[in-house]
Amino acid sequence: SESVLLPGLINTHHHLYQTLTRAFPPALNKRLFPWLQTLYPVWARLQPEMLSAATELGLSELLLSGCTTVSDHHYLFPEALTEAIDIQVQAASKVGTRVTLTRGSMSLGQDDGGLPPQSTVQSDDAILKDSERLIRQYHDASEGSMVNIALAPCSPFSVTTDLMKQTASLARDHGVRLHTHLAETEDENNFCLKTFGMRPVDYLESVNWMSNDVWLAHGIHFNDDELHRLGRAGVSVCHCPSSNMVL
């Protein structure tokens, strides 16, 4: 039989831990903010073996579709899951997938005007210390390496402005890339206007993220001027039409 050899596909944005809650009935058919608020309390109770299984399962599913390189955006570090990225490194090694694991973060909880519950957020200091540890321990910048680390504050509605700035500085000190969600829904645009007095792209610029070492997830609600500015800065955007149509 004749075969065709193709290069492996690359997935530029995933949440492997969410593999476990894909069919969670209370979260179905909701807009982004209510969907997150329904699932945050469930995710807050994740245990290490659950993340390991989710990572292994998600990567295996992707391999079956021809995807060999995966960027995972993991931003959930409740008390039982502070070693989340270490767990993912081991699971990815077991599956044999090339990965860019992004050390995500949430530091702006409900008590301070953010969206996530307090049980799912960490302090800026704890986040930055762990980010540096993970880069030193796992980031392999060599050609063809199997593990890269990137830094990825979750979104404007779940981290502080200061953390966005300090994360950018830390990433550039170590030569790693930056990633975050941006302009996924109009609710997020409105949150940025209300909280920061500016639209998401202006916010991105204000925290020193308008640069070619940055890639964004979703990026749906930009106007023409913002698209040109992002293009001039060399910012990349990855999005999945089917997931955004759900919202």
Side-chain angles (χ1 to χ4, degrees), residues 160-181:
T160 62
T161 300
D162 200 41
L163 183 67
M164 288 291 283
K165 289 178 179 172
Q166 289 195 63
T167 298
S169 176
L170 179 65
R172 285 164 189 148
D173 285 348
H174 290 279
V176 301
R177 292 177 65 84
L178 289 161
H179 185 51
T180 192
H181 296 107

Side-chain angles (χ1 to χ4, degrees), residues 60-79:
S60 300
E61 286 178 333
L62 284 158
L63 272 178
L64 288 170
S65 71
C67 177
T68 58
T69 300
V70 180
S71 171
D72 191 50
H73 187 183
H74 187 89
Y75 54 81
L76 201 72
F77 294 82
E79 215 166 285

Side-chain angles (χ1 to χ4, degrees), residues 8-38:
L9 299 171
I10 298 170
N11 178 358
T12 52
H13 178 78
H14 206 94
H15 300 296
L16 290 166
Y17 78 88
Q18 292 179 10
T19 302
L20 301 178
T21 54
R22 279 190 293 219
F24 187 61
L28 299 179
N29 301 314
K30 281 185 160 66
R31 292 166 68 90
L32 178 66
F33 280 16
W35 180 83
L36 284 169
Q37 286 164 326
T38 304

Side-chain angles (χ1 to χ4, degrees), residues 74-128:
H74 187 89
Y75 54 81
L76 201 72
F77 294 82
E79 215 166 285
L81 212 58
T82 54
E83 311 290 299
I85 304 300
D86 305 78
I87 292 164
Q88 290 196 296
V89 169
Q90 299 310 315
S93 163
K94 196 172 168 186
V95 177
T97 321
R98 178 172 281 114
V99 287
T100 292
L101 298 173
T102 76
R103 203 300 181 186
S105 50
M106 296 198 294
S107 65
L108 190 70
Q110 284 173 344
D111 292 358
D112 301 305
L115 207 66
Q118 291 304 121
S119 62
T120 62
V121 303
Q122 293 180 296
S123 70
D124 287 4
D125 191 47
I127 290 162
L128 292 162

